[in-house]
């Protein structure tokens, strides 16, 4: 520890602290623009100049290391004169038209100018004008306002992993810009809006729609990936206007993915379902709630009576709240059906009944930072888990060896130690090779008979050499037809290494679904069987099966043949209008209280941030009334908190009963056969909200799916990149062929969850490729 | 005896034959054989053959009191001794990004004697334990960059560079790297950024390059002339070098004399030589006119009135005492036909143009300075402008990442301090104190062009 005196206060700070960090610890504010605790030190704005005893010149607090016995004066005449001098320079070329600037009212420059600026400017020369830049559909620019602090530049390079912005030109002609003709396409790009201390980078969807002081700031939790980013949702007149990060170092730090940040647009979508609707004689009628609920109760009761309760199936979105999941499960069980599942994209359920607990991350999110060896298996990491990828990017920079086994070689913008890319069917074999190599190194028996490849050996060597390893299984593993085998192999591998292992939770409530018991027990049908063995009636909660299920085509067919499909959703879609007979408008996450249990088992409850739109109502209330109408026991809840507390058995920060272990899964390694599909779920098509956010749909990540093959596969199938190809599996779709050297040989990468590919069928399947 | 003794006749001959018309292909004596014939690489051989330890080499350089010839005048031996001994990977870098207006000495060393730089760098690398070196040559002298590459090929072929140099077991690789003409890349940390392939912008210090330099490794950066002085020091000994100059100001130094003199050019004189002597070597004032002002150390050094300058000797201490800096040894001589406002406007424009734009006071301040001075020069000055300029320079100086902000401010402060009446005249009368026709006669270029010669 180092001792220093700051503005007369005695302080003790850790070795390596800077003056600004010491000031922060002492609760002293030093004005600054370029400094940001998560970014490298640039010391370019010079606003944080302070006086240090014995130093002849003022020194930048952000870049000056504390030395023992140092005396710092942050508000002395020397310091304040220097700070005011810098402020004058910052303002000479700044437009000073705060009333028409979108940042007005939440601008660091504006705030600090009040304290450090002069009432009038001595600058009488012409001001500089900087042309605006097209950074894409999310970030708007007003580059004349830029003060060249380079926070955005450092963010893209250091946090997002790719230097998509830079400073070009010299002197006061310096401009922040992207590479010629490029936009900023990072899945984390929205954070540069928060980082920009002035109005140079602002939110394009939000631009000029409200002033910060008009907005109520309410806490919430992101409903997308398993991280559960903490949000501040800004609301005006019960309309969500903007979403910002709520800092939580244990979860999302101070960042948000673009999906977390901009999906709010869907909350105000024209596709919002705002009135209960019932289909009568093929015609949709808007009806009162009591009519719709009566209809629903009758329909469920009739089907149960005439076809047996087991002919009803409930498919629940993994993005639904814990309370909603629990009530659907209770409702179904009350009717006498065990057919309930939220694991919609899962295709291998053979581990059911063999699990030792609910699958989860296997560690706290923050513990990722303490791992020195990481193996990520089967994950489109950057797109599936943008902020977990960011965490791994940071630990990799600090020396952690990160290796990857996957069926795609996307650039993760992480410094990888090793990688092995294999066809989907060969993923278990590749993991088995690593297991074998680790077992050999440890003198243990892996119990698998495989030949260890050089890549697997390199990964194994890395894992064995570490003190604290982690094995993380991505969405691709969870969707994989040998998910149980992969789980068992990872378990064995982690056991040998003394490592942590777990799943990167796909959705906001991937853990919560298990906790809410929204999974079939006994003879109940899982999500796949409910579609393979079509039911007479379906209850859909917040899900669009044609996009959310492992086999979209089969899901759609099952819905179409059903006698009754009850859709409980915030949205209507043409598909639902076709197959449903009742639409019950419920609140999205922003209009209901509820709970998400994130991938580390953290219980994150939230309140509604806005009133429900139209006649939409929180789903837990709708389900409660439905339970009452069906005269089921135990539906006397007064609040969602009661539901939660009943499910969790009291208040808890983290849930218990999480365990990734499986018992008695036989490891069989399939042989290669035919051309395999590699299916990713594109980031902005993964759930109903993201699919309806226009700005997200305009990003590069939302580009139409193509049939991506490597050069050898293209040649073998006689296809040239750019050709239209017919891809055949369960159904046939036509797509443009694209060269992608990262796709394993004899594989075609075709995104799932998209209307252009839903007709193709299962995410994991052999396909045929023909020139159209 | 002098550092560039062997080529001094060439230096002066070059200028006598018409300066810029002198063509590269007419140069003689830069090849390895010529250099060796002049006793080149003997210092390196001596160090290796007498098994001098790196510490002995540094001690000898310290003894010579060679001070950095790039401008800052930091003792070279002391700088070398900052390099951490244990570091496995270290670099040595030569700064030939000679961009300071008025300075053209390093260019001539590159041109006439590239091997003296190579030899100096090898000795330096040996002293600090660097395995790899770069010579960063500014882009405007691309032909000399190519010549340096040729010289490197010769040195490699002769075994002066590469593995096991002269059987010593010492390995050193040296490479040339050319910039694209940004003044800021002459700032050592910006130069390192530029070699690394990044935008040339100074780094915040500390850490200093001796700890975190090129590619994050300990690095010693010296000016071309400093390296070129090293072989000479080992020829005549550190003591002998020191004695050529005066205490605390060892050796001889090249001075680039430009401006209103009869024979502008590079002149090598012992430190402590009176300025009057240098002026005489440069052929005296053009047209016998009166000396008005001198910028003694490159455009960043404060200007001194002629009478003060005539009392100075050319060494770090004397010029510092007079209120300026010896700097890079670029002596810009101005006679009575010079409009000091116009001269300052030109200098201010240079710093405005060359500010890298990284940190606020310099990025915004250099432009403001230029715009105000430009206004004064163009008859739109206001009485309060001089106080404003003074405040601006105070707000820039000492508040920036590198010294460019100071460099831009010092001319403004010193021009106004010593020639305030000219600025006031300009503001009051909306025109120059020195009439335009007089200004024109100050330039032979102009007189020739206007047919008045």
């Amino acid at each position: 520890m180092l001792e220093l005196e700051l503005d007369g206060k005695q302080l003790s700070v850790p070795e390596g602290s800077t003056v600004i960090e010491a000031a922060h610890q002492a609760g002293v504010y030093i004005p600054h623009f370029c400094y940001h605790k998560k970014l490298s030190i640039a010391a370019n704005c010079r606003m944080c100049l302070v006086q240090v005893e014995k130093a002849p010149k003022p020194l930048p607090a952000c870049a000056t290391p504390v030395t023992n016995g140092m005396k710092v004066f942050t508000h002395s005449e020397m310091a304040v004169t220097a700070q005011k001098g810098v402020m004058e320079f910052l303002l000479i070329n700044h437009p000073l038209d705060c009333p028409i600037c979108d940042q007005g009212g939440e601008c660091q420059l504006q705030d600090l100018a009040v304290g450090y600026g002069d009432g009038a400017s001595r600058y009488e020369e012409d001001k500089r004008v900087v042309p605006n830049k097209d950074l894409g559909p999310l970030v708007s620019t007003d580059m004349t306002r830029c003060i060249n602090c380079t926070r955005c530049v450092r963010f893209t390079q250091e946090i997002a992993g790719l230097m998509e912005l830079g400073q070009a030109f010299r002197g006061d002609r310096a401009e922040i810009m992207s590479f010629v003709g490029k936009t900023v396409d990072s899945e984390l790009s929205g954070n540069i809006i928060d980082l920009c201390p002035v109005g140079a980078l602002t939110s394009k969807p939000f631009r000029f729609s409200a002033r910060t002081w008009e907005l109520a700031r309410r806490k919430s939790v992101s409903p997308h990936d398993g991280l559960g980013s903490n949000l501040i949702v800004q609301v005006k007149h019960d309309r969500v206007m903007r979403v910002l990060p709520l800092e939580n170092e244990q979860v999302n730090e101070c960042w948000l993915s673009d999906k977390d940040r901009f999906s709010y647009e869907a909350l105000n979508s024209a596709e919002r379902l705002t009135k209960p609707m019932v289909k009568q004689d093929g015609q949709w009628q808007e009806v009162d709630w009591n009519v719709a609920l009566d209809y629903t109760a009758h329909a469920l009761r009739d089907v149960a009576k005439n076809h047996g309760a087991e002919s009803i199936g409930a498919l629940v979105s993994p993005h639904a709240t814990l309370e909603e999941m629990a009530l659907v499960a209770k409702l179904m069980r009350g009717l006498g059906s065990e057919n309930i599942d939220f694991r919609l994209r899962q295709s291998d359920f053979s581990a059911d009944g063999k699990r030792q607990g609910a699958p989860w991350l296997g560690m706290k999110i923050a513990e990722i930072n303490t791992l020195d060896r990481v193996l990520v298996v089967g994950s489109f990491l950057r797109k599936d888990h943008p902020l977990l990828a960011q965490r791994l990017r940071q630990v990799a920079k600090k020396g952690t060896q990160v290796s990857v086994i996957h069926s795609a070689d996307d650039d993760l913008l992480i410094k990888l130690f090793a990688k092995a890319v294999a066809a989907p069917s060969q993923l278990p074999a590749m993991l088995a090779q690593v297991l074998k190599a680790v077992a050999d190194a440890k003198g243990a028996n892996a119990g698998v008979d495989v030949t260890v490849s050089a890549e697997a050996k390199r990964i194994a060597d890395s894992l064995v050499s570490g003190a604290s390893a982690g094995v993380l299984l991505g969405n691709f593993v969870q969707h994989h037809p040998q998910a149980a085998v992969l789980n068992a192999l990872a378990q064995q591998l982690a056991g040998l290494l003394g490592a942590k292992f777990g799943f990167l939770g796909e959705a906001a409530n991937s853990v919560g679904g298990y906790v809410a018991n929204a999974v079939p027990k006994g003879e109940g049908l899982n999500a796949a069987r409910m579609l393979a063995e079509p039911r007479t009636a379906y209850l859909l909660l917040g899900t669009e099966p044609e996009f959310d299920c492992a086999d979209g085509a089969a899901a759609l067919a099952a819905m179409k043949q059903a006698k009754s499909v009850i859709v409980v959703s915030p949205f209507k879609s043409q598909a639902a209008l076709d197959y449903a007979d009742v639409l019950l408008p419920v609140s999205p996450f922003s209009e209901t209280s509820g709970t998400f249990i994130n991938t580390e088992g953290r219980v994150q409850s939230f309140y509604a941030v806005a009133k429900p739109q139209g006649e939409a109502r929180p789903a837990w209330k709708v389900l409660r009334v439905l339970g009452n109408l069906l005269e089921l026991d135990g539906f006397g809840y007064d609040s969602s908190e009661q539901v939660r507390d009943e499910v969790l058995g009291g208040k808890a920060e983290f849930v218990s009963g999480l365990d990734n272990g499986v018992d008695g899964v036989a490891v069989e390694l399939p042989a290669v056969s035919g051309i395999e599909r590699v299916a990713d779920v594109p980031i902005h098509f993964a759930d109903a909200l993201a699919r309806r956010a226009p700005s997200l749909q305009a990003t590069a990540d939302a580009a139409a799916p193509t049939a991506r093959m490597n050069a050898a596969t293209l040649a073998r199938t006689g296809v040239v990149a750019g050709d239209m190809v017919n891809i055949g599996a369960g159904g046939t779709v036509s797509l443009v062929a694209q060269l992608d050297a990262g796709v394993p040989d004899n594989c075609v990468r075709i995104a799932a969850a998209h209307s252009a590919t839903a007709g193709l069928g299962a995410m994991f399947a052999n396909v045929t490729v023909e020139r159209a | 005896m002098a550092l560039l003794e062997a080529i001094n006749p060439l230096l002066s001959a070059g200028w006598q034959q018409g300066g810029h018309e002198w063509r590269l292909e007419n140069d003689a004596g830069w090849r390895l054989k010529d250099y060796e014939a002049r006793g080149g690489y003997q210092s390196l051989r001596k160090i290796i053959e007498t098994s001098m330890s790196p510490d002995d080499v540094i001690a000898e350089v310290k003894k010579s009191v060679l001070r950095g010839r790039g401008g800052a005048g930091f003792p070279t031996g002391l700088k070398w001794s900052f390099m951490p001994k244990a570091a496995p990977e270290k670099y040595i870098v030569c700064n030939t990004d000679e961009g300071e207006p008025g300075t053209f000495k390093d260019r001539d060393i590159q041109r006439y004697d590239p091997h003296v730089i190579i030899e100096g760098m090898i000795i330096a690398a040996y002293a600090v334990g660097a395995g790899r070196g770069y010579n960063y040559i500014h882009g405007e002298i691309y032909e000399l960059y190519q010549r340096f590459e040729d010289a490197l090929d010769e040195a490699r072929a002769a075994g002066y560079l590469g593995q096991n140099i002269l059987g010593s077991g010492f390995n050193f690789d040296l490479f040339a790297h050319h910039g694209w003409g940004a003044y800021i890349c002459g700032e050592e940390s910006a130069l390192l950024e530029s070699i690394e392939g990044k935008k040339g912008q100074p780094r915040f210090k500390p850490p200093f390059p001796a700890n975190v330099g090129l590619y994050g490794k300990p690095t010693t950066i010296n000016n071309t002339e400093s390296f070129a002085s090293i072989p000479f020091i080992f020829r005549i000994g550190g003591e002998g070098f020191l004695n050529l100059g005066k205490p605390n100001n060892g050796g001889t130094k090249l001075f680039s004399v430009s401006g209103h003199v009869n024979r502008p050019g590079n002149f090598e004189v012992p430190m402590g030589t009176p300025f009057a002597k240098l002026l005489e070597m440069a052929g005296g004032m053009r047209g016998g006119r009166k000396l008005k002002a001198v910028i003694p150390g490159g455009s960043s050094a404060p200007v001194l009135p002629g009478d003060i300058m005539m009392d100075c000797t050319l060494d770090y201490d004397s010029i510092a005492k007079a209120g300026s800096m010896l700097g890079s040894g670029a002596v810009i001589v101005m006679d009575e036909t010079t409009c000091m406002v116009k001269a300052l406007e030109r200098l201010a424009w240079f710093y405005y143009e060359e500010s890298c734009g990284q940190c606020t006071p310099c990025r915004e301040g250099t432009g403001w300075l230029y715009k105000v001075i430009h206004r004064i020069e163009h008859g739109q000055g206001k009485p309060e402008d001089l106080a404003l300029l003074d405040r601006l320079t105070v707000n820039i100086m000492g508040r920036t990442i590198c010294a460019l902000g100071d460099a831009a401010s010092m001319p403004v402060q010193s021009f106004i301090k010593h020639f305030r009446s000219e600025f006031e005249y300009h503001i009051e009368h909306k025109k120059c104190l020195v009439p335009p026709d007089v200004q024109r006669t100050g330039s032979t270029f102009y007189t020739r062009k206007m047919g008045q010669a």
Side-chain angles (χ1 to χ4, degrees), chain B residues 324-345:
Chain B
S324 186
M325 305 187 310
L326 185 72
S328 58
V331 180
I332 302 171
V333 178
M334 291 174 269
D335 69 16
E336 59 202 335
T337 66
T338 311
C339 169
M340 297 310 278
V341 180
K342 190 168 200 152
L344 180 61
E345 183 203 15

Side-chain angles (χ1 to χ4, degrees), chain B residues 11 67 73 101 125 197 200 220 226 285 322 334 414 431:
Chain B
L11 273 176
R67 291 173 61 171
T220 289
S226 303
M285 296 303 291
M334 291 174 269
S414 60
K431 61 178 183 184

Side-chain angles (χ1 to χ4, degrees), chain A residues 326-488:
Chain A
L327 290 178
V328 171
K330 197 167 186 178
L331 190 90
M332 290 299 287
R333 293 196 170 104
L335 286 166
S337 173
E338 270 293 337
N339 303 338
I340 166 156
D341 211 341
F342 73 99
R343 301 163 298 176
L344 307 183
R345 291 200 184 100
Q346 194 166 312
S347 54
D348 175 17
F349 294 86
S350 60
D352 282 5
K354 297 171 184 167
R355 292 205 168 279
Q356 293 163 0
W360 68 303
L361 187 63
M363 66 194 91
K364 297 279 181 288
I365 291 164
E367 280 181 274
I368 290 175
N369 300 34
T370 66
L371 301 176
D372 63 0
R373 300 290 184 270
V374 178
L375 172 61
V376 181
V377 185
S379 177
F380 299 94
L381 193 62
R382 255 177 77 200
K383 303 302 174 183
D384 289 348
H385 298 97
L387 289 176
L388 287 172
Q390 184 276 135
R391 251 183 214 270
L392 284 171
R393 187 170 299 132
Q394 304 313 321
V395 297
K397 271 196 255 181
K398 290 189 179 123
T400 296
Q401 294 178 0
V402 180
S403 302
V404 164
I405 296 177
H406 195 24
S407 295
D409 189 13
D410 292 352
D411 189 351
L412 299 178
L413 306 178
I414 294 172
K415 192 183 160 205
L416 293 181
F417 180 79
K419 65 184 171 192
V421 180
S425 67
Q426 297 310 298
L427 221 50
M430 189 57 83
L431 186 56
Q433 289 176 29
V434 174
L435 172 65
K436 174 110 188 344
V438 168
D440 290 350
K442 297 265 183 190
N445 180 13
V448 286
D449 180 24
V450 286
T451 311
V452 177
S453 64
E455 305 101 292
K457 178 78 169 60
R458 188 167 157 75
I459 293 170
D461 288 348
S462 160
L463 291 172
V464 168
S465 67
S468 164
V471 179
L472 299 170
L473 306 175
N475 296 358
F476 196 70
V477 168
Q478 296 160 52
H479 302 159
H480 196 279
Q482 268 86 42
V485 169
L486 286 161
N487 189 345

Side-chain angles (χ1 to χ4, degrees), chain A residues 615-637:
Chain A
E615 291 185 26
R617 291 295 174 263
W620 74 267
K621 287 187 179 176
V622 173
L623 292 164
R624 191 205 94 130
V625 175
L626 210 48
N628 297 150
L629 287 174
L630 289 165
E631 294 168 348
L632 303 177
D633 288 338
F635 275 85
Y637 304 103

Side-chain angles (χ1 to χ4, degrees), chain A residues 42-46 49 57-58 60 63 81-82 85-86 88-90 92-93 122-126 128 147-148 167-174, chain B residues 181-183 199 201 204 206 352-361 363-365 367-368 371-372 375 382 388 391-392 395-396 398-401:
Chain A
N44 62 29
C45 78
R46 316 309 281 179
L49 290 171
K57 307 185 283 191
T81 308
V86 170
E88 179 175 36
F89 285 131
L90 284 171
I92 62 169
N93 277 310
R122 295 188 290 177
Y123 185 75
E124 294 176 8
E125 325 304 324
D126 289 345
R128 166 190 63 212
I147 59 168
N148 284 285
Q167 188 191 42
F169 311 135
R170 285 199 304 240
D172 70 356
R173 286 85 61 212
Chain B
Y183 173 62
K199 190 182 179 199
Q201 288 188 331
F204 183 77
Y352 170 49
E353 177 65 26
E354 295 293 344
S355 167
C356 81
Q358 183 179 200
C359 66
T360 306
R363 179 183 66 237
E364 307 293 343
W368 197 353
K371 286 171 186 172
V372 174
R375 262 200 297 110
K382 287 179 262 199
L388 175 64
R391 274 313 302 164
L392 295 186
N395 280 349
I396 296 171
R399 310 225 174 126
T400 50
I401 291 175

Side-chain angles (χ1 to χ4, degrees), chain B residues 357-415:
Chain B
Q358 183 179 200
C359 66
T360 306
C362 176
R363 179 183 66 237
E364 307 293 343
T366 51
W368 197 353
L369 287 176
Y370 167 69
K371 286 171 186 172
V372 174
I373 298 164
H374 179 82
R375 262 200 297 110
I376 298 174
E377 167 65 18
H378 289 81
Q380 292 162 345
K382 287 179 262 199
E384 60 271 26
D385 281 346
L386 295 184
L388 175 64
L389 287 173
D390 187 58
R391 274 313 302 164
L392 295 186
T393 57
V394 169
N395 280 349
I396 296 171
M397 288 181 76
R399 310 225 174 126
T400 50
I401 291 175
C402 78
L404 194 143
D406 291 14
S409 301
M410 284 189 289
V412 178
Q413 289 186 342
S414 60
F415 270 70

Side-chain angles (χ1 to χ4, degrees), chain B residues 310-327:
Chain B
M310 288 303 278
D311 293 339
C312 287
T313 57
L314 295 167
D315 55 79
Y316 296 100
D317 299 339
S318 167
I319 297 196
K321 214 168 133 198
S324 186
M325 305 187 310
L326 185 72

